[in-house]
Amino acid sequence: MKFRNFKMVGFVIYGRGSFDQLDEIIAPHRRDSSPMIFLVDHFFTNSALINRIPLRGNDKIVFADVTNEPKTSQVDHLANQLKDEFGKISGLVGIGGGSTMDLAKAISLMMTNPGSSADYQGWDLVKSPGVYKVGIPTLSGTGAEVSRTCVLTGPTKKLGMNSDFTPFDQIVLDPELTANAPVNQRFYTGMDCYIHCIESLNGTYLNEFSKSYGEKALELCRKVFVEKQEWNDESDDQLMMASYAGGMSIAYSQVGVAHAVSYGLSYLLGTKHGIGNCIVFDKLEEFYPEGVKEFKGMVAKNKIGIPQNITNGLSEDQFNTMINVSLGMKPLWENALGKNWESVMTREKLRKLYGKL
Ligand code: NAD
Ligand code: ZN
């Protein structure tokens, strides 16, 4: 048995208003005249948050277009622009949802590693630490703030740059920043966390480390989406910690069926991570009976619509593309179904499942 020795985030600050300590937090990491770059989710263009960003010297705010999930071409383009304009930078501060978190991690790594980010999609391919990087989530659920990956769609695959250099040096967890998220978006991203917990807690890779975090995250998700009558500040506080704990849970285990299947949807149809997981999880009674029942209850209680019949009319070639992408996610299937997963999840069975979505 080989145990995973994983790298964690360097520093964590948590609390309402902690964003205002950003200036002093990053001050020791400023290098000569090299600027600090703030990569901000385009949702915040013209928002009051922009005026609270602690700009100094030749610091720069760059808006991240997250209309689509991050691509290797987008990462390369942004990193090359920064190299052309500044040569060196002191660091990169990502402010936004999971997509912006992942872009920030990837750009930081590409400031010091040669070639294209597509060269590093995989496990432990990154050779040098990136520049100093800070993650400040404005949506709760993905766990991208604590993970050792940044998920990118490249020319041939959708896969993260998984490495010990990928986790943030610093994260700022300020639940105030998630306050104005639209109800649907908040639910879809929140359910990413719920699904991380169900997949981790029902997986064969589970150990007490991931169980402890998974159970806590699940408890917090239930407080927010099952027990609470009205969304309030406490809900934002709780969901932010659920996301953190959910991410810690999968650090030592793995996700499962919903993620493996939703990767196929996202590759072929561009379906986004949170909503894609919901579309798939809705149909997984066979694998996660209790979780799916509770999920349907949360969907009804929070009055959320889950899209149906999105694979209607696709060709057999397209189904095969999704099946190939999905079956390529071997560790996810092994975690979910055990070592003999291939005899359980046959192509025929997966074709049927995709047909139901
Ligand atoms: P997102 O970052 O894609 O953002 C979704 C939308 O919400 C965007 O339009 C964005 O502009 C907007 N938004 C962000 N903050 C907001 C706020 N406070 N108020 C209103 N709107 C806001 O959504 P997400 O679900 O947080 O992230 C999904 C991404 O995370 C995917 O790209 C997925 O691959 C990635 N992911 C990464 C990991 C990891 O471990 N690295 C894990 C899970 C998911
Ligand atoms: Zn996820």
Side-chain angles (χ1 to χ4, degrees), residues 337-349:
L337 305 173
K339 290 239 178 293
N340 295 325
W341 65 270
E342 277 162 309
S343 60
V344 183
M345 187 45 79
T346 58
R347 293 188 74 90
E348 295 68 47
K349 196 171 166 87

Side-chain angles (χ1 to χ4, degrees), residues 213-261:
Y213 283 107
E215 286 175 346
K216 189 66 202 179
L218 193 58
E219 179 193 317
L220 291 166
C221 285
R222 286 182 175 140
K223 283 193 175 152
V224 167
F225 292 113
V226 181
E227 294 159 24
K228 191 87 78 187
Q229 295 313 318
E230 286 276 325
W231 195 275
N232 58 19
D233 285 357
E234 192 185 36
S235 319
D236 284 315
D237 296 353
Q238 289 170 333
L239 196 55
M240 187 158 270
M241 286 318 298
S243 177
Y244 178 90
M248 289 300 293
S249 178
I250 43 177
Y252 225 130
S253 60
Q254 201 21 294
V255 287
V257 181
H259 277 76
V261 176

Side-chain angles (χ1 to χ4, degrees), residues 18 41 49 96 110 215 223 227:
S18 56
D41 192 310
L49 186 66
M110 293 318 295
E215 286 175 346
K223 283 193 175 152
E227 294 159 24

Side-chain angles (χ1 to χ4, degrees), residues 142 192 196 255 259 273 277:
T142 64
D192 190 21
H196 290 160
V255 287
H259 277 76
H273 189 80
N277 283 347

Side-chain angles (χ1 to χ4, degrees), residues 99-289:
S99 296
T100 307
M101 297 288 100
D102 281 358
L103 278 173
K105 292 190 210 180
I107 296 168
S108 155
L109 294 172
M110 293 318 295
M111 293 307 289
T112 53
N113 286 277
S116 161
S117 49
D119 304 338
Y120 304 101
Q121 286 181 283
W123 280 270
D124 303 305
L125 302 173
V126 180
K127 296 286 179 293
S128 310
V131 298
Y132 174 72
K133 54 185 172 316
V134 181
I136 310 184
T138 63
L139 284 173
S140 296
T142 64
E145 64 277 21
V146 287
S147 75
R148 83 190 281 279
T149 188
C150 48
V151 184
L152 302 176
T153 303
T156 60
K157 54 196 165 198
K158 181 174 180 193
L159 189 61
M161 297 165 75
N162 294 262
S163 84
D164 285 346
F165 301 121
T166 310
F168 283 113
D169 298 296
Q170 168 83 54
I171 56 175
V172 177
L173 302 179
D174 183 344
E176 258 177 22
L177 303 181
T178 65
N180 299 318
V183 174
N184 273 315
Q185 182 65 56
R186 188 169 68 196
F187 185 84
Y188 297 140
T189 303
M191 281 303 112
D192 190 21
C193 176
Y194 178 81
I195 295 168
H196 290 160
C197 296
I198 300 297
E199 293 185 323
S200 169
L201 291 169
N202 291 284
T204 60
Y205 291 0
L206 189 68
N207 64 14
E208 204 56 48
F209 184 101
S210 35
K211 195 170 160 210
S212 312
Y213 283 107
E215 286 175 346
K216 189 66 202 179
L218 193 58
E219 179 193 317
L220 291 166
C221 285
R222 286 182 175 140
K223 283 193 175 152
V224 167
F225 292 113
V226 181
E227 294 159 24
K228 191 87 78 187
Q229 295 313 318
E230 286 276 325
W231 195 275
N232 58 19
D233 285 357
E234 192 185 36
S235 319
D236 284 315
D237 296 353
Q238 289 170 333
L239 196 55
M240 187 158 270
M241 286 318 298
S243 177
Y244 178 90
M248 289 300 293
S249 178
I250 43 177
Y252 225 130
S253 60
Q254 201 21 294
V255 287
V257 181
H259 277 76
V261 176
S262 110
Y263 267 94
L265 287 182
S266 129
Y267 188 83
L268 184 75
L269 305 173
T271 315
K272 294 203 173 168
H273 189 80
I275 195 169
N277 283 347
C278 287
I279 292 169
V280 178
F281 197 70
D282 196 40
K283 302 288 188 278
L284 295 185
E285 293 91 342
E286 182 187 343
F287 302 98
Y288 306 110

